[in-house]
Amino acid sequence: QEAIDGFGADNSLTPNLGSKTTKDTRLFDFGAPGPDASPIKIGKFNFFELPKAWDGKDAKFTMAWDRAAFVAIHPESRDKYAKALADQMAPGGKVLMCTMSYDTSKMDGPPFSLSPEQVADHCGQYFSMEKLDSRDIIE
């Protein structure tokens, strides 16, 4: 919920009151941020139990933001997560993924360490990848 609220605040957007809610699932409809923009809808749900449709439409995503879900998944479930993510993306869909890697002898997860090579191992068969940024934030 914090990420959804932060997205709205950062972009001066408020979800429409008609956002859909079901058991443990909510779709936040932010509408179109400008006259030439596409509507923005953000879903909050159990990723492995995604609905097949929202508002009677195919639930395939054209964009997804993984804001640290992959690093929260136990390493044994990474292949399942990567396949589930790929299955939910529309053809040509894009995923922005935030991960972290660290010395696992000094810390254990979650969040679990996930190197760019590990992302490629799990997601490479489904997506082409490009590293956009890398920062050392641990002192």
Side-chain angles (χ1 to χ4, degrees), residues 39-59:
I40 297 171
K41 294 183 180 183
I42 299 176
K44 177 182 172 185
F45 39 75
N46 177 331
F47 190 76
F48 295 109
E49 297 174 5
L50 290 172
K52 299 224 182 289
W54 291 102
D55 297 331
K57 297 178 185 171
D58 187 5

Side-chain angles (χ1 to χ4, degrees), residues 68-92:
F70 208 176
V71 296
I73 302 283
H74 194 277
E76 293 174 3
S77 298
R78 287 178 177 165
D79 285 334
K80 179 181 176 185
Y81 176 83
K83 179 165 182 3
L85 180 61
D87 287 347
Q88 293 303 320
M89 298 305 297

Side-chain angles (χ1 to χ4, degrees), residues 15 43 118:
Q118 290 170 312

Side-chain angles (χ1 to χ4, degrees), residues 70-71 75 78 97-104 112-123 129 131 134:
F70 208 176
V71 296
R78 287 178 177 165
M97 184 177 289
C98 302
T99 65
M100 62 189 73
S101 61
Y102 55 82
D103 183 346
T104 56
F112 297 100
S113 180
L114 187 63
S115 70
E117 295 79 20
Q118 290 170 312
V119 173
D121 287 346
H122 295 287
C123 298
M129 290 173 278
K131 184 196 272 187
S134 178

